[in-house]
Amino acid sequence: MTVAILHILKINLFAAACIFLVLLLSRRLKAKYSARWKYVMWLILAAYLLIPLDISSQTAVWNIPLPAHVTASSPDTAPVSDMADAPGSTLLAGVIGNAETAVPRQNTSDIPAEAPASQAAFTLELPLLIFCIWITAASALSIFRIISCALAGHRLRRFSHPLEDDEILALYSSIRTAQKLSGGPELLVNPDLSGPLLTGLLQPRLYLPENLYTLKELELVFSHELCHYRKKDIWYKLLLMTVSTLYWFNPALHLMVREADRDLEFICDEKVAAGKLSTYRFQYNRLLLKTAASAHGHLYYISASLNDGAADFKQRVLNIMAAGKLKAGVLPALLLSVFLASSSCLIGCTSVPSSASDSSGSSSVSSTSTQLPGTESTDTESLQNGISASSGSGTQAPPDINKDAAPPDHSSQPQSEALPSDSAGNQGITLSDGEPRPSIAQLSGQTGESAEVQRTVELYAGEYKDSRSYGDNPNCPDNWCSIIIYNVTASSFDFFIQQYQPEKQSSVVVFNPHRAIFIDDGQRAAYYGKEYDLFFSFENITDLSVSGFETTDGCVYSNNSIPGHEFS
């Protein structure tokens, strides 16, 4: 849900930017181009927002990192939900955001006991809360507008009666024939109206004020309103109103609806006046002035009217006098369409867990209901506890991932969790096969004051994907893996492993986040758990391999995002 909400916000931002560009260009080009290009742009924007397809995960060249929604599934973990994305998404802020995974929560030893629960409850409901507010407001606005339109239409029909003047009916029939219309809206008269009004989706009706116009003026009125009818402008207005109702929070869309109402009048004015003599155009302008002067009140419904209060009278007069001379505006419409399409395809949003940068190093987390490899409790924190509890060795524990968190209280550790010690007094860990594991001092080859091995390889945080997944390698398996490395220090780094699921078009975590430490001469790193011992070998600055986990054994993993070391 988080990814969907981010995508909705993204397309609304792009649509708003495009709307403001259209408005800016139209002010500059109104003397040269007709409003027809704006008509097309509003239609494209409406379709873009009503069909919010997201293909940026496959095409984006720039991903904007945005904080992802975090939920708490247990007292010690906080899984990141709804992070599924397409393969090959860019790693941002040190943590890849295209898998449903879990990241450690901040150490809570210095936070009141009730605080994490309340924070977890809040984050758990945030995306759902946003969604509910959006849909509730959109539904309420839709109901209000539907009821308003229904009541206004009922009131309009109630006080109207059919037109019975044979001379006016004959004139109306001749204009329909001239415009090649086999049918047309029903003619009605309403004494409360101050100008002609076309309304009705399935049964369109043309309402006229009582005894306001001469036959010559009615000829112009019928030509204008039937132009609206022929172009299906009522349906066009309904489409734009639907978009502005659905995305009620976007003020640019309300500007678009108002501007589109003006454009529809401009277009019909131009069509009616095109190819006509100057005297005809002067008569048309006088008709507009007469209708505007007699206007009073406004009914709320979807309609097309000769006297649209949103239209600029002065600009309408200028457009009528220049009718037939203005260009269609194909070029600006094409350029703005390319801008909208390229922005949507080349710019994406990546969900980044906000807790990744200040995670605690010890994590026992899972993105599924089944236990994943690496969920054992003996991880880096246990290793640190064993080192800190040793006496006489003089070794120091690796620095905690979250330097601001209080150190764990080792006195509260169960006795059953105590780790065996070697002959030198350095605590070690028992392997799954029962053999004693070497102590940290032995692993690191150091017997001095510090057991930390400083890395001697150049290591970058990022996503290290199966090298066979790059390009069109026929040997690439469908469910290839990638290793995410982050929080890189001089002596350790955090990692987790994810696997691509082709049937879901997304990746899932198969080995949970843990910390690996550098060993030997700093050219290799290791993670020691109860069930798995993973060893990392660094081939070069972009490549590494992992042994000890059958899913990743025998493969080389490459990072194609290291500056200056990209490859095709």
Side-chain angles (χ1 to χ4, degrees), residues 4 10 13 23 38 64 92 97 117 152 159 185 190 222 238 279 297 319 350 366 402 438 451 493 499 504 506 513:
K10 184 190 79 169
L13 287 174
L23 295 178
K38 294 167 64 182
I64 302 173
L92 293 168
F159 296 102
N190 189 304
F222 291 150
L238 176 63
T279 54
N319 286 349
T350 300
S366 175
N402 187 352
F493 59 86
Q499 188 175 46
K504 296 181 179 179
S506 62

Side-chain angles (χ1 to χ4, degrees), residues 105-427:
R105 190 195 295 178
Q106 185 179 4
N107 191 325
T108 59
S109 59
D110 56 349
I111 301 177
E114 65 274 15
S118 62
Q119 293 170 1
F122 175 76
T123 56
L124 178 66
E125 300 171 359
L126 185 56
L128 183 59
L129 179 63
I130 295 175
F131 177 79
C132 289
I133 292 175
W134 170 35
I135 295 301
T136 301
S139 301
L141 184 58
S142 298
I143 293 172
F144 170 76
R145 288 182 168 177
I146 290 173
I147 293 176
S148 298
C149 290
L151 291 176
H154 174 73
R155 185 166 60 252
L156 188 64
R157 291 189 299 273
R158 180 182 178 184
F159 296 102
S160 300
H161 59 84
L163 180 67
E164 298 177 350
D165 190 312
D166 293 337
E167 192 173 8
I168 296 177
L169 290 175
L171 175 64
Y172 180 60
S173 178
S174 65
I175 294 176
R176 282 189 308 170
T177 302
Q179 295 194 10
K180 300 180 181 179
L181 292 174
S182 57
E186 180 186 0
L187 278 182
L188 298 170
V189 176
N190 189 304
D192 294 333
L193 291 179
S194 60
L197 187 71
L198 176 66
T199 186
L201 294 170
L202 301 178
Q203 293 181 336
R205 297 178 176 91
L206 177 56
Y207 296 89
L208 297 174
E210 198 167 31
N211 302 323
L212 181 62
Y213 299 116
T214 65
L215 283 177
K216 185 59 179 179
E217 290 171 339
L218 283 174
E219 179 185 352
L220 300 175
V221 169
F222 291 150
S223 298
H224 181 95
E225 298 302 329
L226 288 176
C227 181
H228 282 301
Y229 172 77
R230 191 173 66 251
K231 291 169 63 272
K232 307 294 182 183
D233 284 345
I234 304 298
W235 288 98
Y236 183 87
K237 287 190 173 186
L238 176 63
L239 177 66
L240 298 188
M241 182 177 288
T242 301
V243 174
S244 67
T245 303
L246 180 61
Y247 301 111
W248 51 267
F249 53 86
N250 189 346
L253 295 180
H254 302 287
L255 291 176
M256 179 185 75
V257 172
R258 188 174 66 180
E259 190 72 12
D261 288 342
R262 293 160 47 94
D263 295 336
L264 293 178
E265 299 306 320
F266 292 157
I267 293 172
C268 286
D269 290 343
E270 292 173 20
K271 284 186 175 294
V272 172
K276 299 295 191 298
L277 298 175
S278 298
T279 54
Y280 183 93
R281 301 184 187 190
F282 282 125
Q283 291 176 351
Y284 194 91
N285 288 333
R286 282 197 296 268
L287 172 64
L288 294 180
L289 182 60
K290 178 180 179 179
T291 305
S294 60
H296 59 85
H298 176 70
L299 291 175
Y300 188 92
Y301 35 66
I302 303 174
S303 61
S305 171
L306 180 68
N307 177 39
D308 195 318
D312 184 353
F313 178 76
K314 179 181 177 181
Q315 187 61 42
R316 290 184 72 175
V317 170
L318 293 176
N319 286 349
I320 290 170
M321 300 308 295
K325 301 176 183 178
L326 300 175
K327 297 181 180 179
V330 176
L331 182 59
L334 180 61
L335 291 177
L336 287 171
S337 299
V338 171
F339 163 77
L340 187 65
S342 59
S343 298
S344 300
C345 295
L346 301 180
I347 302 177
C349 294
T350 300
S351 300
V352 179
S354 58
S355 57
S357 60
D358 43 49
S359 61
S360 67
S362 65
S363 60
S364 175
V365 288
S366 175
S367 62
T368 62
S369 59
T370 57
Q371 187 178 19
L372 297 175
T375 60
E376 58 274 18
S377 60
T378 304
D379 53 10
T380 307
E381 180 175 294
S382 301
L383 193 59
Q384 293 173 346
N385 294 344
I387 299 171
S388 301
S390 64
S391 59
S393 65
T395 59
Q396 299 177 355
D400 190 70
I401 298 177
N402 187 352
K403 298 181 183 296
D404 297 328
D409 184 4
H410 304 299
S411 62
S412 63
Q413 296 293 330
Q415 294 298 321
S416 59
E417 295 294 324
L419 304 177
S421 302
D422 58 13
S423 58
N426 299 322
Q427 284 190 312

